[in-house]
Amino acid sequence: MTTGPLAGVRVVELGGLGPGPFAGMLLADLGAEVVRVDRPERAGESDAGGPADVLNRGKRSVVLDLKDPSGAAALLELVERADVLIEGFRPSVTERLGIGPHDCLARNPRLVYGRMTGWGQDGPLSATAGHDLTYIALTGALGAIGDADGPPQIPLNLVGDFGGGGCYLVIGVLAALHVTARTGRGQVVDAAIVDGTAHLLASTFAKLGRGEWSDERGVNRFDGGWPFYAVYGTSDGRHVAVGALERKFYRRLVELLDLGVDPERQHDRSAWPELRALLAKRFAQRTRDEWAALFEGTDACVAPVLSLTEAARHPHLAARASLFTRDGVVQPAPAPRFSATPAAVGPVAPAVGADTRAVFQDWGIPTT
């Protein structure tokens, strides 16, 4: 029995890729019972199930052929007993299969029907293929990231798929569940990566509107344009991140580096080219870890740039167990944290279809 804040919530996840499974993992981490519905052809795939299938941890897997009327009928049986359904197909696909919002809400009026797409359920591009990179390109997010004299830099697929996509799907689902608890009525949640990514840019658009942000890359406060909020190379070919924006933090940075510059001229833009050159030269004189030791515990806002493997060993992340290793696989712990209803990591992802019979039995659905 789970103890997370979503204990007792039943979720049906139609198997997909990226942001949908991430949303399902997040709901499972928070205590929901998540049943992933996989296609028959996924059975036996090498990346399905086991410790490395992190996005499907804590879930159970059933196999249904949704193109077959009997498979769609079985899904509706699950839907009748569920609180949430999440799917990541292109618009109108589930409608053609007979498991769209109209079909599911007719069967279960309290259902929250979460839809995860890149472009949204409508609009000129809604039926067009895309990926994280194309979605964040269109919102302006990609064009704002990178050096002034270089191309845009790809921020993994964190900004679109998981930030603007999966996280916003979960936010929508939780908000809709709150309404259902109050009114008894379910609804459809249209979570589009372009919408979520645009929403993440709220602060940036606000700065642009106030004239505090230039609509060009690499010249602004948070994009490396300010020399005291930037990344610098070290003598061993690694890097440190400097984020000394506030005056008192910048003063401490200057003191510890013994730069010999007037900290009161922090925002004198005419001095920035020289300041950037001084910082680059100074950081190039020691290794990354030597600088990390110097700045450890200070308020200069300097941190070593770690690799994924190194991050798992950092004392702070280790003390909080932000990352943990299970069966040789490093993965994140559930987040955020709750004082009264702590979340917990569920079992490793099952093989495709491993739980079909058990789920139907547990949910009281007759099987033949």
Side-chain angles (χ1 to χ4, degrees):
M1 188 70 179
T2 61
T3 60
L6 295 183
V9 174
R10 283 180 167 178
V11 178
V12 174
E13 174 195 326
L14 302 189
L17 300 173
F22 174 74
M25 183 201 77
L26 180 47
L27 293 169
D29 283 351
L30 298 181
E33 180 183 355
V34 179
V35 172
R36 177 180 167 102
V37 177
D38 282 303
R39 302 184 304 274
E41 56 266 31
R42 284 207 77 223
E45 290 184 2
S46 59
D47 63 342
D53 191 4
V54 175
L55 292 185
N56 287 314
R57 71 186 186 191
K59 305 175 186 178
R60 295 202 284 176
S61 171
V62 305
V63 164
L64 294 175
D65 183 358
L66 298 178
K67 295 179 181 179
D68 186 292
S70 64
L75 178 71
L76 292 175
E77 292 282 357
L78 290 171
V79 163
E80 186 174 330
R81 296 156 173 80
D83 301 291
V84 178
L85 179 142
I86 56 177
E87 59 97 355
F89 295 115
R90 291 198 201 187
S92 79
V93 169
T94 58
E95 284 85 348
R96 291 199 301 270
L97 295 172
I99 54 173
H102 177 78
D103 306 288
C104 291
L105 285 166
R107 194 69 171 258
N108 179 0
R110 295 178 59 88
L111 183 74
V112 174
Y113 195 108
R115 315 195 79 170
M116 180 77 263
T117 60
W119 304 114
Q121 295 298 314
D122 52 32
L125 295 176
S126 60
T128 307
H131 276 295
D132 173 286
L133 193 61
T134 51
Y135 306 139
I136 69 171
L138 211 67
T139 63
L142 179 63
I145 301 171
D147 295 332
D149 56 353
Q153 295 298 301
I154 302 172
L156 305 182
N157 60 338
L158 299 178
V159 175
D161 279 352
F162 300 117
C167 283
Y168 274 84
L169 175 58
V170 170
I171 291 169
V173 164
L174 296 180
L177 282 173
H178 179 71
V179 174
T180 301
R182 194 172 69 243
T183 67
R185 295 192 300 273
Q187 61 182 301
V188 178
V189 177
D190 175 7
I193 292 174
V194 290
D195 295 346
T197 302
H199 199 258
L200 288 172
L201 287 165
S203 176
T204 305
F205 277 115
K207 293 181 179 67
L208 183 66
R210 291 195 299 266
E212 298 174 0
W213 190 273
S214 174
D215 197 14
E216 56 182 303
R217 187 168 51 254
V219 298
N220 297 287
R221 181 186 306 179
F222 296 120
D223 62 6
W226 292 17
F228 38 86
Y229 195 91
V231 175
Y232 292 95
T234 56
S235 65
D236 54 351
R238 297 180 178 181
H239 298 85
V240 293
V242 178
L245 284 175
E246 291 80 2
R247 182 180 298 274
K248 61 182 179 180
F249 302 150
Y250 177 71
R251 184 183 296 275
R252 188 67 176 133
L253 173 72
V254 168
E255 291 173 353
L256 288 170
L257 290 177
D258 192 23
L259 285 184
V261 300
D262 182 2
E264 299 304 316
R265 295 186 65 194
Q266 177 183 7
H267 293 286
D268 180 355
R269 290 175 178 264
S270 67
W272 282 5
E274 180 182 359
L275 175 61
R276 190 182 295 274
L278 281 173
L279 287 167
K281 181 179 180 180
R282 188 75 177 94
F283 280 116
Q285 293 173 353
R286 297 188 189 182
T287 68
R288 182 200 65 180
D289 292 345
E290 287 173 336
W291 287 120
L294 175 68
F295 285 104
E296 183 75 26
T298 74
D299 281 344
C301 297
V302 176
V305 177
L306 304 180
S307 70
L308 295 172
T309 304
E310 290 174 319
R313 299 194 297 263
H314 190 274
H316 182 79
L317 298 184
R320 289 184 57 81
S322 301
L323 294 166
F324 70 98
T325 302
R326 180 162 68 179
D327 296 329
V329 177
V330 177
Q331 55 195 284
R337 305 182 185 196
F338 300 84
S339 61
T341 54
V345 180
V348 299
V352 171
D355 307 300
T356 302
R357 183 174 295 275
V359 167
F360 275 74
Q361 182 177 7
D362 293 348
W363 286 30
I365 300 172
T367 58
T368 57

